[in-house]
Amino acid sequence: MVVDPFQALQAAQRKPPSYTGAAATTLLIAGATGALGNELLRRMAGAQRHAHMLVLAKEPITDGLRGVETAVVPAGPIAQWPLRKADAALVSFDPPRLYHDRERALWTPAPAELPELARWLKACGVQTLAIVQPHAQGRMPEALKRGLASLDEQAVVALGFERVLLVRSAQKPAAQRFANPAERLAAWMLSIFRFMVPNSEQPVRASKVAEFVELALRTAPPGVHIAAPEVVWQAAQGNLPEVVRGWLGAQS
């Protein structure tokens, strides 16, 4: 195939869309704790699509990840925090694991703090906001899985971000309660064969959710994009890029 040099020069000079993650952008992460928050941090740092990454913390810590800096926030209300310049933000609600000293030093939002945190992020200059909200599978009505599930989410969208991504990830099954010793014995015997359970029936791994979020942040056009638990589950089972493209295409 013959390539027109003039067209090639035009293509090289053409600026990429803002949502591709320009090299000079800053990504701020609130909630880099727990299995999911840690995977999100590792995935975003490894992708190197942002020149600078800020991780909110309660006290200073040293992080060995390249390009990652902790931003210590005071203990007072979020509205009184000093502003930090950022272009995109990622929010996760996994609590810190008690046996991880580093995670105990990081700041993790409570779900009720989402509207106030979103207002602070908007004041920091954030235009792209991704929110990963774990929900128990089957607990949400079908309409809410694919739409705004609360007044808090509606308030966040109303702030006027260029892009909002709401990723509803399935939660791991809660611990079972048994009425008598016989049920407990039966459950123990069944647990021996858990390794035989197909991958498609296992809970979605945190690494797959992080991969889903990173790709969505990189490719989603402006607007509000809501990923139902079934979308994230389907992406974790097969061709993740194809599922993300289909999901974003269905919402456009």
Side-chain angles (χ1 to χ4, degrees):
M1 181 178 66
V2 179
V3 178
D4 186 340
F6 180 71
Q7 291 182 348
L9 180 60
Q10 284 184 320
Q13 293 177 336
R14 193 176 300 129
K15 292 182 179 180
S18 60
Y19 54 81
T20 56
T25 58
T26 296
L27 173 67
L28 187 149
I29 299 181
T33 53
L36 179 55
N38 184 61
E39 282 294 334
L40 288 167
L41 174 60
R42 288 165 53 88
R43 184 82 191 184
M44 296 302 165
Q48 296 184 353
R49 296 189 178 275
H50 300 272
H52 194 205
M53 289 179 58
L54 293 174
V55 179
L56 298 187
K58 296 179 290 186
E59 58 188 68
I61 61 173
T62 301
D63 202 309
L65 293 174
R66 180 181 177 184
V68 177
E69 174 192 352
T70 54
V72 178
V73 294
I78 297 176
Q80 298 178 9
W81 287 358
L83 299 180
R84 301 296 297 258
K85 176 63 178 150
D87 305 281
L90 176 56
V91 179
S92 177
F93 299 96
D94 263 15
R97 293 167 288 190
L98 296 180
Y99 50 88
H100 284 66
D101 292 336
R102 170 189 160 278
E103 291 190 7
R104 289 202 297 269
L106 297 178
W107 184 84
T108 304
E113 294 176 305
L114 178 59
E116 189 178 5
L117 176 62
R119 286 191 291 269
W120 179 77
L121 291 171
K122 192 70 170 65
C124 290
V126 169
Q127 289 299 317
T128 293
L129 176 61
I131 304 166
V132 184
Q133 294 185 316
H135 288 279
Q137 191 88 359
R139 295 283 182 89
M140 297 178 64
E142 288 299 318
L144 295 186
K145 290 180 183 179
R146 294 164 179 82
L148 298 175
S150 68
L151 293 176
D152 286 350
E153 292 182 358
Q154 294 177 30
V156 170
V157 170
L159 291 174
F161 291 97
E162 181 182 350
R163 294 190 304 157
V164 176
L165 280 71
L166 291 167
V167 180
R168 308 197 193 287
S169 176
Q171 245 177 1
K172 290 185 178 181
Q176 289 181 302
R177 294 183 179 180
F178 306 106
N180 52 63
E183 289 185 3
R184 189 179 299 107
L185 175 62
W188 174 79
M189 294 179 66
L190 288 173
S191 69
I192 299 175
F193 300 99
R194 280 180 184 169
F195 66 93
M196 301 176 62
V197 176
N199 289 337
S200 60
E201 297 181 18
Q202 297 285 354
V204 176
R205 298 196 305 272
S207 60
K208 283 295 183 180
V209 178
E211 184 179 356
F212 181 96
V213 173
E214 190 274 326
L215 182 56
L217 272 172
R218 179 158 35 102
T219 59
V224 179
H225 307 280
I226 301 170
E230 293 83 359
V231 174
V232 183
W233 177 87
Q234 184 183 4
Q237 310 310 315
N239 189 327
L240 191 147
E242 182 179 340
V243 172
V244 172
R245 283 195 299 269
W247 162 59
L248 292 175
Q251 295 204 343
S252 61

